[in-house]
Amino acid sequence: MKKWVIALSGIVISLTLAGCGSKAVATTKGGDVTESAYYSSMKTTSSGKQILQQMILNKVLEKDYGDKVKKSEVTKQYDEYKSQYGSSFSSVLSQSGMTASQLKTEIRSNLLLKEAVKANTKITDADLQKQFKSYQPKVEVAQILVSKKSKAEDIIDQLNDNKKDPKKLQSTFTSLAKKNSTDTATKNNGGKLPKFDNTDTSLDSGFKKAAFKLNNNEYTAEPVKTQYGYHVILMLDNPGKGKWQDHKAELKSQIINNDLNDSTKLHSVVSKVLKNGDVQIKDSDLKNILSDYISSSSSASK
């Protein structure tokens, strides 16, 4: 299952660090907990500092790249998460300590950060050609999963009897999947999996490697072993790689996504964004809060 991605600190940013004030955030028999007391307490904790870092970054990102991230993009990604988890979506959100609104906020934060990485990354043709070596356009496969190698070999033998007739082959595969596959999520639709490419992280690497070698209507001649058991894979749609020039947009997107997962690259981009954001820390106790990204002198209170 995909993890909720959070741009900088890895924490939910719904908490607002209020300015010093006497308004009560809670009342008790023993007295009130005021905004100022709460703020003073929170700013000394690592989580409080991380929240402030994230809030500062979000403000700068919104200023620089807010017009590049449409609400429809956030909604689309949110709906993809919702579809992925189905009926368990609400419980997954709850377990993550998030609400739907907070998730949308996090999605927007990451889309803004992606725009920042894109703006600060120069991609050459050499970079595109290098990425093309591992590139694979989305393919569609069907699979039959069983617990024993001998069972998988028996299924392959049955497929061999029909391999010269694509329609009969697919019909036989569908029937065998429904009858034999232990993957309850796919067996009833003939073992079909959602389309995937080289960036997919949900499938076993050995499974993907075996699948990408197949042409349309080809199946694995030997069982593919993973932690789940033994797979027989049938290729339903493999569009082929073609030339790297045909996939420039996809290759650029993959390079940007790789950079988003590169802590060194990400740190460099965040530093540039914050330096250009004219950040001024007004609370002397927090003057070094961005020292990992920009010099303390540039963020100190004037």
Side-chain angles (χ1 to χ4, degrees), residues 130-166:
K130 181 180 179 181
Q131 183 64 27
F132 186 68
K133 292 179 181 179
S134 61
Y135 173 74
Q136 171 64 49
K138 286 191 174 183
V139 300
E140 184 177 26
V141 306
Q143 58 120 18
I144 300 172
L145 174 64
V146 292
S147 59
K148 294 183 179 180
K149 184 179 180 181
S150 58
K151 183 64 176 178
E153 290 172 337
D154 178 59
I155 289 170
I156 291 172
D157 287 340
Q158 294 181 66
L159 293 173
N160 289 338
D161 295 334
N162 300 285
K163 65 180 179 180
K164 293 183 179 181
D165 186 337

Side-chain angles (χ1 to χ4, degrees), residues 79-91:
D79 288 343
E80 287 175 357
Y81 280 129
K82 193 172 182 179
S83 175
Q84 178 189 358
Y85 291 106
S87 60
S88 62
F89 179 69
S90 295
S91 61

Side-chain angles (χ1 to χ4, degrees), residues 166-184:
K167 288 186 178 180
K168 200 169 183 180
L169 173 63
Q170 290 192 21
S171 176
T172 300
F173 194 96
T174 296
S175 177
L176 289 171
K178 290 180 178 179
K179 182 180 178 180
N180 299 284
S181 184
T182 59
D183 185 355
T184 56

Side-chain angles (χ1 to χ4, degrees), residues 52-255:
L52 183 55
Q53 286 176 336
Q54 182 69 71
M55 293 175 74
I56 291 170
L57 178 60
N58 280 355
K59 287 287 187 181
V60 179
L61 289 173
E62 279 289 356
K63 175 64 176 177
D64 292 346
Y65 307 104
D67 60 339
K68 296 182 181 298
V69 178
K70 298 178 180 179
K71 184 178 179 180
S72 58
E73 294 179 77
V74 175
T75 301
K76 180 182 177 182
Q77 197 169 119
Y78 174 85
D79 288 343
E80 287 175 357
Y81 280 129
K82 193 172 182 179
S83 175
Q84 178 189 358
Y85 291 106
S87 60
S88 62
F89 179 69
S90 295
S91 61
V92 171
L93 270 181
S94 179
Q95 290 169 14
S96 302
M98 304 183 79
T99 65
S101 177
Q102 288 167 348
L103 174 57
K104 288 179 180 179
T105 298
E106 296 303 333
I107 290 172
R108 182 170 181 81
S109 295
N110 283 284
L111 290 174
L112 287 168
L113 190 60
K114 185 174 182 178
E115 289 297 331
V117 171
K118 191 185 301 183
N120 288 278
T121 302
K122 183 179 180 180
I123 299 176
T124 65
D125 283 353
D127 295 325
L128 296 175
Q129 292 175 58
K130 181 180 179 181
Q131 183 64 27
F132 186 68
K133 292 179 181 179
S134 61
Y135 173 74
Q136 171 64 49
K138 286 191 174 183
V139 300
E140 184 177 26
V141 306
Q143 58 120 18
I144 300 172
L145 174 64
V146 292
S147 59
K148 294 183 179 180
K149 184 179 180 181
S150 58
K151 183 64 176 178
E153 290 172 337
D154 178 59
I155 289 170
I156 291 172
D157 287 340
Q158 294 181 66
L159 293 173
N160 289 338
D161 295 334
N162 300 285
K163 65 180 179 180
K164 293 183 179 181
D165 186 337
K167 288 186 178 180
K168 200 169 183 180
L169 173 63
Q170 290 192 21
S171 176
T172 300
F173 194 96
T174 296
S175 177
L176 289 171
K178 290 180 178 179
K179 182 180 178 180
N180 299 284
S181 184
T182 59
D183 185 355
T184 56
T186 65
K187 64 180 297 180
N188 291 328
N189 69 345
K192 287 185 181 180
L193 293 172
K195 290 186 176 182
F196 60 92
D197 60 17
N198 59 296
T199 65
D200 183 276
T201 57
S202 63
L203 295 171
D204 181 272
S205 59
F207 182 98
K208 291 192 295 182
K209 184 177 180 181
F212 292 149
K213 290 180 180 179
L214 300 172
N215 294 316
N216 291 339
N217 296 310
E218 287 185 347
Y219 52 90
T220 47
E222 297 291 334
V224 178
K225 188 178 187 306
T226 71
Q227 59 180 314
Y228 305 106
Y230 295 88
H231 306 258
V232 180
I233 307 170
L234 171 67
M235 178 58 68
L236 300 175
D237 182 23
N238 187 342
K241 291 180 67 170
K243 299 178 180 180
W244 71 268
Q245 293 92 336
D246 300 327
H247 304 285
K248 284 187 175 182
E250 300 103 304
L251 294 172
K252 286 180 180 179
S253 180
Q254 289 191 5
I255 290 172

